[in-house]
Amino acid sequence: MSSSVASSSLKTASSLHLAPGFEPDRKADQEIERLCISMEQWEERALKSCLPAQGSDKFILITGAAGFIGTHVALALKRRGDGVVGLDNFNDYYDPSLKAARRALLEKEGVFVIDGDLNDARLLETLFGIIPFTHVMHLAAQAGVRYALENPHSYVHSNISGLITLLQVCVKANPQPALIWASSSSVYGLNTKVPFSESDRTDSPASLYAATKKAGEEFMHTYNHIYGLSITGLRFFTVYGPWGRPDMAYFSFTRDILSNKQITVFKGPDNTDLARDFTYIDDVVQGCVASLDTAQPSTGSGGKKRGPAQLRTFNLGNTTPVTVSCLVSTLENLLGKEANKKYIQMPQNGDVPFTHADVSLAKAELGYSPTTDLHSGLKRFVSWYLNYYKKET
Ligand SMILES: NC(=O)c1ccc[n+]([C@@H]2O[C@H](COP(=O)([O-])OP(=O)(O)OC[C@H]3O[C@@H](n4cnc5c(N)ncnc54)[C@H](O)[C@@H]3O)[C@@H](O)[C@H]2O)c1
Ligand SMILES: O=C(O)[C@H]1O[C@H](OP(=O)(O)OP(=O)(O)OC[C@H]2O[C@@H](n3ccc(=O)[nH]c3=O)[C@H](O)[C@@H]2O)[C@H](O)[C@@H](O)[C@H]1O
């Protein structure tokens, strides 16, 4: 793998298929140039460090690499010797300096991260022209349930249009990579049967975010059917941990408790507690790596399907839902500080009352076995948080 990658000729993408409404900017040109320079000076430049180590036959593109889950997955794969290249557009949905810090961590460990958008087909084609990726771990997305009320188009941009652009590049790539991608527990929407199982219906999304993830699952079915792309969809359940997302409740509650700001805790109908199957990042990484290791190659080439290809969907949750009130009291306990809490009826904001994963399929097929309870996981998060923000707290 290493030598074939190193000797692969530089190829600039000939076609320019951009997603409608997507304007490439100077930044994309600069990123292509940086990529090409790194290739031309292969021996000295950063890209060399991304090659698979001896004994690994995997070369993986991780989209959303500067994101929370992407960073952890990239580090795990790189540390065991796989070739890893990241892509991220470093958008400002939350503090970009946190994404920059994750990138620095990745680059220190030899993961080359490209600053680019999923909708930039020219950049993606150039990248696939240079590197024969065996797998794509697609984690880039507009995440967050409630932000869709504010900026619905960002979900269409990344989760619909960006996804199709990536899929189009994957089907044309030679070899066609196997794709592992992040769906979401939110596809279960307003379902009341618990625990949520992969065979349950997923046709009552409560948010635009959920609807775009559900649409993504349907697109994946189509691309698997027409082009023979090998596809594994992972439904993550409220993932938390060090290097996490500032927009999520466990993170913003920690920040606000420490700075004596009031936190708002949503309540369900009849004052019931909302609950989530909070899942620790290391458990999710284990599921992602196992999905990658059990993914079969795509069967297509040159945009043509040669035979049926693998299509799988797994829940990656914890199987132990915990109430949001319990999340708050655990944080109070770990931070040694009482929160200033305001309880309100859950607004019509896309939230669902509870989530609860049945992970028996992931256990049987991936050996997935979550081991971290909320208290232990939050302890590690709080320790990371206090250290990372120590100048400010
Ligand atoms: N964290 C969770 O609890 C959770 C739960 C279910 C599903 N997911 C899904 O898992 C994936 C990773 O989530 P995360 O928590 O790490 O979120 P994140 O926001 O930290 O990471 C996503 C990354 O993708 C990048 N990105 C977004 N749009 C892009 C685009 N058009 N082009 C290039 N990069 C783009 C962002 O800059 C970000 O760094 C997402 O697909 C998310 O929807 C997350
Ligand atoms: O598994 C998923 O598929 C999703 O997981 C995550 O969504 P959620 O489960 O909604 O996590 P998160 O925002 O931390 O809210 C947690 C709880 O706190 C409650 N909550 C929230 C904010 C607040 O101010 N008050 C409050 O009570 C809130 O009502 C909820 O009950 C990801 O963000 C999302 O990208 C998606 O992929």
Side-chain angles (χ1 to χ4, degrees):
M1 168 66 65
S2 313
S3 58
S4 70
V5 173
S7 63
S8 69
S9 58
L10 257 184
K11 194 168 77 181
T12 305
S14 50
S15 50
L16 185 65
H17 307 293
L18 298 174
F22 178 74
E23 289 294 330
D25 54 15
R26 286 267 315 129
K27 199 177 76 184
D29 287 338
Q30 284 161 9
E31 284 302 287
I32 289 177
E33 203 180 318
R34 192 166 73 93
L35 192 62
C36 294
I37 290 170
S38 297
M39 279 302 300
E40 280 164 359
Q41 302 172 0
W42 184 267
E43 292 304 318
E44 306 97 71
R45 303 292 286 214
L47 253 181
K48 188 187 173 205
S49 67
C50 297
L51 286 172
Q54 217 157 23
S56 170
D57 58 356
K58 296 187 177 66
F59 211 144
I60 303 146
L61 172 66
I62 303 192
T63 70
F68 164 44
I69 301 174
T71 296
H72 285 274
V73 173
L75 286 176
L77 295 172
K78 182 67 195 162
R79 283 173 184 163
R80 72 173 197 171
D82 293 345
V84 182
V85 168
L87 174 86
D88 204 292
N89 71 356
F90 294 88
N91 67 53
D92 62 0
Y93 166 56
Y94 60 77
D95 182 9
S97 77
L98 179 58
K99 296 182 183 180
R102 296 187 191 124
R103 177 193 201 157
L105 181 70
L106 290 175
E107 298 205 327
K108 205 169 86 189
E109 299 235 9
V111 177
F112 188 85
V113 184
I114 293 154
D115 183 346
D117 196 288
L118 287 172
N119 289 280
D120 192 339
R122 186 174 56 127
L123 177 63
L124 290 180
E125 285 174 7
T126 304
L127 187 56
F128 276 83
I130 291 170
I131 301 173
F133 290 111
T134 55
H135 299 78
V136 173
M137 178 69 71
H138 174 51
L139 301 173
Q142 175 58 61
V145 174
R146 295 170 289 280
Y147 180 62
L149 299 180
E150 224 175 285
N151 187 358
H153 289 291
S154 64
Y155 293 79
V156 177
H157 176 81
S158 294
N159 307 1
I160 303 288
S161 180
L163 175 59
I164 295 296
T165 308
L166 176 69
L167 285 168
Q168 283 296 123
V169 173
C170 285
V171 297
K172 281 190 256 163
N174 189 15
Q176 267 187 2
L179 208 97
I180 297 96
W181 78 289
S183 181
S184 160
S185 72
S186 65
V187 298
Y188 292 109
L190 300 171
N191 285 6
T192 50
K193 176 194 152 280
V194 284
F196 298 159
S197 155
E198 291 87 345
S199 56
D200 294 345
R201 295 181 71 143
T202 51
D203 51 7
S204 56
S207 64
L208 182 67
Y209 169 71
T212 61
K213 288 292 183 180
K214 168 70 175 170
E217 292 191 350
E218 307 297 340
F219 298 153
M220 292 298 182
H221 183 275
T222 310
Y223 276 78
N224 169 269
H225 172 69
I226 297 181
Y227 299 108
L229 273 186
S230 162
I231 289 172
T232 305
L234 303 174
R235 293 176 179 166
F236 299 148
F237 283 68
T238 315
V239 189
Y240 70 99
W243 295 99
R245 263 172 45 205
D247 61 310
M248 289 184 67
Y250 71 95
F251 198 121
S252 64
F253 287 171
T254 299
R255 187 184 56 220
D256 292 346
I257 292 171
L258 286 171
S259 56
N260 304 314
K261 278 203 199 122
Q262 188 174 68
I263 64 169
T264 307
V265 180
F266 303 142
K267 287 284 196 174
D270 303 323
N271 218 25
T272 48
D273 278 326
L274 303 185
R276 287 290 178 276
D277 200 352
F278 295 104
T279 310
Y280 189 62
I281 184 67
D282 290 1
D283 291 324
V284 165
V285 169
Q286 188 236 325
C288 291
V289 173
S291 301
L292 191 114
D293 287 344
T294 53
Q296 291 168 5
S298 291
T299 60
S301 68
K304 286 214 171 60
K305 180 178 173 180
R306 310 277 170 203
Q310 191 179 37
L311 180 65
R312 308 180 292 174
T313 304
F314 296 111
N315 284 341
L316 293 185
N318 186 265
T319 71
T320 319
V322 175
T323 63
V324 177
S325 299
C326 180
L327 166 75
V328 174
S329 59
T330 307
L331 286 173
E332 289 176 324
N333 176 266
L334 290 166
L335 295 167
K337 218 168 158 190
E338 202 177 325
N340 173 6
K341 304 177 274 286
K342 179 177 147 198
Y343 294 94
I344 65 163
Q345 193 64 24
M346 182 174 78
Q348 198 62 264
N349 60 7
D351 272 331
V352 293
F354 58 85
T355 62
H356 183 178
D358 175 345
V359 297
S360 47
L361 189 64
K363 188 173 181 187
E365 294 198 20
L366 306 176
Y368 174 72
S369 171
T371 56
T372 315
D373 62 62
L374 187 65
H375 184 273
S376 317
L378 284 178
K379 194 171 171 188
R380 286 180 228 161
F381 165 71
V382 165
S383 160
W384 168 82
Y385 185 99
L386 294 176
N387 185 47
Y388 185 77
Y389 291 108
K390 61 178 172 261
K391 286 189 212 91
E392 296 164 34
T393 49

